[in-house]
Amino acid sequence: MSLARVGDFFRRLSGWRALLASILAGAVYALGFAPLDVFPAMLLGLAAFVLLLDGASARPRPLRHAAWIGWGFGFGQFAAGMHWIFYPFLVDPLEHAWQIPFVLVLFPGGLALFTTLAAAVAMRFWRFSRVFVFAACYAGAEWLRGHVLTGFPWNLPGYGWGASLAILQSTALLGVYGLSLLTVLFGASLAELFGARPRWTLPVAMTALFATLWLGGVIRLESQPTAFTSVHLRLVQPNVPQDEKYVRALAPRNWQTLMSLSSRAGGVHAIQPDVVIWPEAAPPVLLQRSPDALADIAVLTGKSRVLITGNQRLVVDANGKRHFFNSLYVFGPGGRVAATYDKFHLVPFGEYLPLEDVLERIGITKLVGFPGSFSAGDGPHTVDVPGAPPAGPLICYEILFPAAVVGATRPAWFVNVTDDSWFGPWAGPRQHLLAARVRAIEEGLPLARAANTGISAVVDGKGRIVAQRGLDETGVVDALLPRAEPATPYATTGDLLFFVLLILFAALPQALLRR
């Protein structure tokens, strides 16, 4: 079958057939994300999306048809790419399993409203430079997805290049939103090949552009090898199943696992670590109220060692009201608390419940079993780490948010503590790790990532994995801390270049219309 006939097939689809085709196109697009990393599928899925919108533009009420096609594409993309979302509801199945059917429909269906918006707005200007309009609207909607209602920027189009660390180097200039914009334009440009008279100019130009990005990334990686500090890190991966973390009878075992892994002999060149890092919420007790645990930490840190760990933190205000924070502690030598950090990007339905009073009346509760919702911290910070460079702590999915990971003072490295056992045993943890690596590239900062069940890793400022411990493994990652890179252009300007490109793409059809 010729490309023109394939294009005609997609353009002729209408009604439920067009909706079904858009869902399948979205699912194909999702194959570009980790762990499969089939980026050609991502590009072809975008091309199919454009061809379906071509068909909608020729029908009565094109905006309505475009909106349905946009919703179908988004539903297919999020249902396939984020299928792991039901795993958290199986941690306590008696309490939450009944919600899974609703989550599997409402979660991708809700996120698909952003692609619905993108398709409907693009259709308004479809006759004029439709490929550029589509790219601008799609990328703009993805930026909104990363910011509206605290945001959820998971599996942005730029992450579809996870198979090519060289292309991901471009995020040091463009950021992941800028790379996403160019990626959508690349995929949409392929729709130009599916007409009676194929137009090759834009697809060839985009292929050349990404070949240039790849070559530039290769040169950047090969010409600048990883440089290290003298700080020895140990990331502890206890691999405690989520449904066993807070079982009272298993608390001594879980605590002993942390302590034995932290203090065992070995390490880089058989030298004991300077900084030990535990994952998010690793201690099975509230450290503030556990003098025995604090005494063990004092022994572990000794005279020169530092422990960084996630743990819940309790604050009682002047009115006697209790506030829980998902926090990170820095324990200096002798177990002295050197710094604390409170998570500021909380997970909806995980750490806080929107409309809490209303939803709890119908039986919907948070996945994290603490009374009430967690309180939020006041934003990213840089904390001092005794005997090591200052660090930027990020808890769990806070690492997802571009241009929102560095406080007023630039740190020398990121510490990301997380518990990816919530994300299932396959796709979720790998997608989360890729996003963390891209933050390292964007900011030019190394990353130490301790995850309960994996993947724990030390990453340099160009996104290269220096050392790692795989999924569902119990053990440690011993490595030297890489040196920070000079501040990247993206670290200085943020998403400015993305918005400049977005405006140019959006203004192009208006310029053509005036002509």
Side-chain angles (χ1 to χ4, degrees):
M1 183 180 292
S2 68
L3 294 181
R5 291 178 64 185
V6 172
D8 288 340
F9 171 79
F10 278 96
R11 294 186 188 99
R12 286 197 300 265
L13 293 174
S14 62
W16 67 267
R17 293 179 178 84
L19 178 62
L20 178 60
S22 66
I23 293 173
L24 293 175
V28 170
Y29 165 89
L31 299 178
F33 299 116
L36 298 179
D37 296 319
V38 186
F39 68 85
M42 174 184 63
L43 300 177
L44 291 175
L46 289 167
F49 192 2
V50 173
L51 295 174
L52 289 166
L53 291 176
D54 280 340
S57 69
R59 291 183 174 81
R61 299 181 180 178
L63 290 180
R64 187 179 71 175
H65 284 85
W68 271 112
I69 289 169
W71 184 87
F73 185 88
F75 184 87
Q77 168 196 342
F78 296 118
M82 301 185 197
H83 64 275
W84 49 264
I85 194 64
F86 71 89
Y87 278 101
F89 297 85
L90 295 177
V91 172
D92 186 0
L94 294 179
E95 182 74 20
H96 299 291
W98 66 272
Q99 300 173 29
I100 290 176
F102 300 97
V103 172
L104 293 180
V105 174
L106 295 178
F107 177 77
L111 291 178
L113 294 177
F114 290 99
T115 49
T116 303
L117 175 65
V121 174
M123 187 54 54
R124 175 65 179 79
F125 305 97
W126 200 250
R127 290 180 57 196
F128 305 98
S129 191
R130 77 196 199 291
V131 170
F132 284 90
V133 169
F134 172 81
C137 291
Y138 195 109
E142 290 290 76
W143 185 90
L144 288 175
R145 177 163 69 90
H147 292 79
V148 172
L149 298 177
T150 74
F152 189 66
W154 196 287
N155 279 1
L156 298 171
Y159 295 132
W161 298 102
S164 175
L165 183 58
I167 288 181
L168 291 178
Q169 297 304 303
S170 64
T171 59
L173 172 64
L174 301 167
V176 73
Y177 285 117
L179 179 58
S180 294
L181 176 60
L182 296 181
T183 299
V184 176
L185 180 61
F186 190 5
S189 74
L190 299 182
E192 301 280 78
L193 304 177
F194 291 83
R197 295 181 178 179
R199 300 186 181 120
W200 291 88
T201 303
L202 186 56
V204 170
M206 293 306 301
T207 302
L209 172 61
F210 273 85
T212 301
L213 293 179
W214 174 81
L215 181 60
V218 169
I219 294 173
R220 187 172 191 257
L221 291 168
E222 292 185 353
S223 63
Q224 301 175 32
T226 305
F228 294 93
T229 69
S230 60
V231 177
H232 295 264
L233 302 178
R234 171 167 292 177
L235 316 183
V236 175
Q237 185 167 298
N239 195 31
V240 178
Q242 189 59 231
D243 58 357
E244 297 181 6
K245 282 189 69 173
Y246 302 111
V247 177
R248 186 180 299 273
L250 299 178
R253 182 205 68 180
N254 297 342
W255 179 254
Q256 185 56 42
T257 298
L258 288 170
M259 295 300 296
S260 61
L261 290 173
S262 301
S263 57
R264 77 179 190 185
V268 179
H269 307 305
I271 297 176
Q272 286 293 325
D274 302 304
V275 180
V276 176
I277 304 175
W278 291 352
E280 176 188 19
V285 294
L286 191 66
L287 292 177
Q288 288 172 286
R289 298 189 173 183
S290 304
D292 291 342
L294 292 175
D296 286 343
I297 289 174
V299 173
L300 175 65
T301 52
K303 296 182 179 180
S304 60
R305 191 173 299 158
V306 172
L307 171 67
I308 300 176
T309 181
N311 191 233
Q312 289 75 35
R313 192 170 72 90
L314 173 64
V315 174
V316 181
D317 63 21
N319 297 319
K321 185 177 180 180
R322 301 195 306 171
H323 301 271
F324 283 104
F325 293 87
N326 188 356
S327 301
L328 176 143
Y329 284 91
V330 179
F331 290 99
R336 178 182 58 85
V337 177
T340 59
Y341 165 80
D342 298 321
K343 185 177 182 181
F344 70 97
H345 251 130
L346 301 179
V347 181
F349 299 96
E351 293 166 320
Y352 79 95
L353 195 63
L355 303 174
E356 184 172 354
D357 293 338
V358 175
L359 293 180
E360 284 189 340
R361 289 195 191 102
I362 61 176
I364 297 177
T365 58
K366 302 189 330 299
L367 294 173
V368 178
F370 267 80
S373 294
F374 280 94
S375 298
D378 58 356
H381 289 279
T382 297
V383 299
D384 290 328
V385 180
L394 296 163
I395 299 175
C396 190
Y397 95 145
E398 285 186 317
I399 198 86
L400 289 180
F401 295 86
V405 292
V406 173
T409 302
R410 186 174 190 255
W413 56 305
F414 290 127
V415 177
N416 180 212
V417 297
T418 185
D419 186 356
D420 287 3
S421 63
W422 290 103
F423 302 152
W426 189 53
R430 291 178 172 86
Q431 293 169 0
H432 198 193
L433 173 63
L434 177 61
R437 294 172 67 192
V438 172
R439 292 297 84 72
I441 300 169
E442 286 176 340
E443 301 291 342
L445 294 175
L447 164 73
R449 183 177 192 269
N452 172 32
T453 57
I455 305 167
S456 300
V458 175
V459 179
D460 75 1
K462 292 184 174 61
R464 290 174 289 214
I465 295 177
V466 173
Q468 68 175 324
R469 174 70 61 176
L471 271 175
D472 299 323
E473 296 180 6
T474 303
V476 301
V477 177
D478 286 318
L480 290 171
L481 172 65
R483 292 188 181 278
E485 307 278 347
T488 64
Y490 183 81
T492 303
T493 62
D495 288 318
L496 176 62
L497 184 54
F498 163 70
F499 285 116
V500 169
L501 292 173
L502 198 67
I503 293 171
L504 289 175
F505 286 15
L508 182 60
Q510 295 299 320
L512 294 175
L513 181 61
R514 285 195 298 270
R515 289 182 61 186

